[in-house]
Amino acid sequence: VPEPNAFAGAGLDRAGPRRSDPQWVAAALADPDARAVVATPEGVAVDPAEPGRLLRAPAHAPGIDSILLGMEHGHPLFARALRNGKPGGGAILLNLREFAPEADVPEAGIAAYATAMLTWHAHHGHCARCGAPTRVVDAGHARRCDACGAMHHPRTDPVVIMLVLDPERDRVLLGRQASWPAGRFSALAGFVEPGETLEEAVAREVAEEAGVRVRDARYASSQPWPFPASLMLGFTATYDGGDPEARDGELEAVRWLSRAEVEAAARDEGEILLPPRLAIARRLLDGWLAGDLPG
Ligand SMILES: [Zn+2]
């Protein structure tokens, strides 16, 4: 079984059927073995002596909503926001990109899950339907508007990210954004729009960003990407014609890279930089080099 992508694999029992029972949630908060990870949209609190491990604070914090993440080794694990912007107790804040390389798979997954939940709460204090304040229900897995009765649920926005393969010439199509470090190229990507399938989104985004046609989009793997609320859906797609050209302003360049060029970049040689190892784009590229991608 391949290792999950970074930020996946939190491995908690999310207690979905139980967390809507207020009595069960109150008992979980009062459990002396309950703990909370502490985070903000900017970072997660860690003990500097153990930077790969999230701080686990007492769960109960008066005046702050505790969001149930789930059961960890039989005990409730919550997430909560910082009280005054500082983690306290000698802890430090690391952003997720700093934390993930230090952490093991479940710990990075919990960090991403907690960050995604707390960011959603921070951004959804008011009802999207009527504008009135909302309040936390279902142990933090929903917010309710008492003014109009609307229930709001945490969002995950699907993004397709695709490696365009040209099997005839053994090359891949990558693009770069102007803001990236010099020389970095990565897989094309874009938000899925209402009214389209994932396969349609793959073809549309490749046409918009690079001006080429693709066929046979095939799913490879996915990655939670809480910056702030995406789920990256990794695909391969087969080149079906057209000359690549950066078109829609999102990318400053698109180009084919040969297998030899990508192999050199994976060894940190040459002018081309690949995406960081925690990104699914890198996983797709490594999969292509290893010959174990669909398509
Ligand atoms: Zn409302």
Side-chain angles (χ1 to χ4, degrees), residues 172-207:
V172 290
L173 184 67
L174 301 181
R176 66 167 273 110
Q177 294 179 12
S179 63
W180 290 351
R184 174 172 294 168
F185 279 80
S186 187
L188 307 181
F191 285 100
V192 180
E193 295 187 351
E196 66 183 358
T197 64
L198 301 177
E199 294 83 353
E200 287 168 337
V202 166
R204 175 185 53 75
E205 282 288 343
V206 173

Side-chain angles (χ1 to χ4, degrees), residues 126-134 144-152:
H126 288 82
C127 178
R129 196 157 89 183
C130 79
T134 55
R144 180 180 165 79
C145 173
D146 291 327
C148 77
M151 288 283 276
H152 301 282

